[in-house]
Amino acid sequence: MSARQPVQNLLDFIDASPSPWHVVKTIEALLATQTPAWQRLDETAKWTLQPGGRYYVVRDDSSIILFIVGQKPLAETGFKIIGAHTDSPGLRIKPNAASSADGLMRLGVEIYGGPILATFTDRDLSLAGRIAYKNDQDQITGMLVKFDQPLLRLPNLAIHMNRTVNEEGLKLQKQTELPLILSASAEEQLPQAYFSALLHQQTGIAATRILSWDLAVYDTQKGVFWGAESEFYANSQLDNLASCHAALQALLDNADLRPDSTRVCALFDHEEIGSQSNKGADGSFLPDVLGRIALATATDGEDYARALAKSFMISSDMAHAYQPNFPNAYDPGHKVIVNKGPVIKINANHNYSSESVSAAMFVDWCEQAGVPYQKYSHRCDMPCGSTIGPITSAKLGIRSIDVGNPMWAMHSIRESAGVLDHDYMIRVMKRFFAAP
Ligand code: CO
């Protein structure tokens, strides 16, 4: 299956990226292998941009915007933007996380976004994220950290003590029943000191110099293909690293080395908690970068407004594939099926940014790319999720659409999707970037 290689690349991308901070690091490593070269821009420095130049900006280690400067003036072409998010829902380690009792040490966690908590039980969990420490020059510095081995676990209660689990579902009390078991060998030590020593071992930074951290719990199990003909794949974080990866592949395509229009790929942290932060889609990151591209290409205020009026954004986030065991969870006229193509998400209340014109434009790009597409509308009697699409298009005043590939088990620690759809999405995104 020729669609298999892009999915293998996606699985490798996810396995190398167990936290949003690692996502950005993985992307930087990928950019370093590319020709023509990509140049990192610093937000505190002055920018000099060349037509055809390839640049990226990172804000606080976990949001990244990449762009290729077009040959034509911005006012003539507008920006062509694809947006997605780098974060996934899950568990995060609290500041004073470690506690010890009955010969067992545990780490307390906070819930980040809306994970399906029951899926975190009995998995080979570990930790990834970043620490902030004081270096030898007394400067505060960040460093990524990742434990490779399974370090943590949330063992289920045996059915003998939870007889109704199959009738009532697994319910976990969020404060008392989520702490993760870390060790049985820590009785004589203070638990915080024990955990600090672990961080020291992993990073080489003295425990007294580690002043703070952002640590996510991740699943060490690697991605797989599954199904009788390997037509499906599974991994953690498909929402929304599958969209990030598709957008990147479309942007890195070298078929058109010096495009007319400026192509932008904006990958934000903090979507799962509402996007309101300095690096989220509801923050200033994208408007700042677009404004600075305009300044650095000598685009005046009116021409910048003209450019925005000409711009288009595809907001890509995963969609809910039909699961035949639960037919009543879906609107009967809007069952979207894995391996049947990208999904256009439509919501009259604008939880999705799609409008008839933007949807029609996307349909047109699908048809030009030879890619099938589907349309999704949520059941009226269930609350609908949202994405970065409405937020970003409202902030910038640009036309936008919400799309995404169909997947099962959104916000489970192990999500799955169809192999064909990833290649389809990359193809239609390439078509969008190449559109006049
Ligand atoms: Co998402």
Side-chain angles (χ1 to χ4, degrees):
M1 193 184 284
S2 66
R4 190 180 162 94
Q5 190 57 49
V7 175
Q8 185 61 60
N9 297 343
L10 166 62
L11 297 178
D12 294 343
F13 177 79
I14 293 174
D15 291 340
S17 310
S19 79
W21 305 279
H22 288 83
V23 172
V24 169
K25 185 184 165 202
T26 304
I27 292 171
E28 273 203 278
L30 177 67
L31 295 178
T33 67
Q34 298 290 305
T35 331
W38 286 78
Q39 185 188 332
R40 180 170 171 151
L41 298 171
D42 182 342
E43 286 195 272
T44 64
K46 282 198 172 287
W47 292 4
T48 310
L49 306 180
Q50 305 298 334
R54 286 149 195 257
Y55 307 94
Y56 67 97
V57 194
V58 174
R59 190 173 275 192
D60 196 35
D61 297 340
S62 58
S63 290
I64 181 169
I65 297 177
L66 308 91
F67 59 91
I68 302 173
V69 180
Q71 300 286 344
K72 288 194 173 168
L74 282 175
E76 265 181 49
T77 61
F79 298 96
K80 290 197 161 61
I81 306 167
I82 301 178
H85 64 90
T86 58
D87 61 325
S88 297
L91 303 175
R92 298 285 171 87
I93 302 302
K94 289 193 171 192
N96 302 317
S99 67
S100 194
D102 305 311
L104 293 169
M105 186 177 298
R106 295 180 298 162
L107 290 185
V109 290
E110 246 189 305
I111 300 167
Y112 178 84
I116 305 176
L117 292 172
T119 64
F120 284 68
T121 59
D122 304 327
R123 309 290 307 184
D124 303 331
L125 303 175
S126 200
L127 288 181
R130 65 175 178 175
I131 59 163
Y133 69 100
K134 202 172 233 190
N135 67 16
D136 294 338
Q137 288 82 48
D138 278 348
Q139 291 157 332
I140 303 297
T141 314
M143 180 193 280
L144 296 198
V145 54
K146 174 181 178 241
F147 291 86
D148 293 323
Q149 82 278 21
L151 190 69
L152 297 163
R153 181 166 290 261
L154 180 56
N156 235 310
L157 199 55
I159 197 164
H160 313 79
M161 287 98 123
N162 191 11
R163 289 283 184 193
T164 58
V165 64
N166 291 329
E167 286 68 44
E168 294 180 7
L170 181 61
K171 293 175 190 154
L172 295 162
Q173 210 288 337
K174 289 173 182 167
Q175 172 63 23
T176 59
E177 294 177 352
L178 286 181
L180 305 171
I181 293 182
L182 170 70
S183 177
S185 68
E187 278 170 280
E188 291 103 69
Q189 305 183 50
L190 288 170
Q192 299 316 329
Y194 184 87
F195 186 55
S196 294
L198 269 185
L199 290 176
H200 160 65
Q201 262 176 30
Q202 195 63 28
T203 59
I205 305 298
T208 49
R209 287 187 173 267
I210 300 175
L211 305 180
S212 191
W213 64 67
D214 302 299
L215 290 172
V217 173
Y218 82 96
D219 188 350
T220 56
Q221 189 183 358
K222 304 283 189 217
V224 291
F225 290 89
W226 64 278
E229 297 183 32
S230 298
E231 62 269 69
F232 310 116
Y233 66 97
N235 208 345
S236 65
Q237 305 178 95
L238 297 190
D239 171 17
N240 193 17
L241 297 191
S243 296
C244 290
H245 186 260
L248 276 173
Q249 294 306 304
L251 188 69
L252 296 181
D253 180 43
N254 276 347
D256 185 7
L257 279 180
R258 300 177 77 80
D260 283 346
S261 53
T262 297
R263 301 175 179 181
V264 182
C265 194
L267 310 178
F268 300 102
D269 196 358
H270 290 158
E271 190 273 348
E272 297 291 354
I273 53 166
S275 294
Q276 204 171 47
S277 74
N278 68 332
K279 54 185 167 177
D282 202 13
S284 68
F285 191 26
L286 183 58
D288 287 349
V289 169
L290 298 186
R292 291 186 68 170
I293 295 173
L295 285 171
T297 53
T299 307
D300 70 25
E302 185 175 35
D303 279 355
Y304 180 57
R306 291 171 66 203
L308 290 180
K310 278 225 163 199
S311 296
F312 193 100
M313 186 177 83
I314 294 178
S315 156
S316 181
D317 204 345
M318 300 302 269
H320 302 298
Y322 181 66
Q323 212 284 34
N325 297 5
F326 305 98
N328 295 333
Y330 303 84
D331 180 288
H334 299 90
K335 297 173 184 172
V336 298
I337 311 292
V338 290
N339 285 326
K340 296 263 161 92
V343 175
I344 300 168
K345 306 178 184 181
I346 294 163
N347 179 264
N349 296 297
H350 239 246
N351 284 5
Y352 304 131
S353 65
S354 314
E355 293 274 354
S356 61
V357 173
S358 60
M361 290 168 78
F362 190 81
V363 165
D364 195 32
W365 295 321
C366 284
E367 286 175 349
Q368 289 174 34
V371 164
Y373 60 89
Q374 314 178 67
K375 288 183 180 169
Y376 182 78
S377 176
H378 209 60
R379 279 186 72 98
C380 290
D381 49 7
M382 276 186 194
C384 178
S386 190
T387 71
I388 61 164
I391 297 167
T392 321
S393 67
K395 268 189 117 66
L396 292 165
I398 63 178
R399 177 166 276 163
S400 172
I401 185 165
D402 271 288
V403 301
N405 270 337
M407 63 171 262
W408 287 309
M410 188 175 287
H411 293 193
S412 165
I413 200 166
R414 196 77 178 167
E415 300 166 327
S416 61
V419 166
L420 295 179
D421 295 324
H422 194 55
D423 186 49
Y424 288 149
M425 185 61 92
I426 295 168
R427 278 161 53 191
V428 67
M429 284 175 166
K430 278 188 197 173
R431 184 63 219 136
F432 159 65
F433 274 143

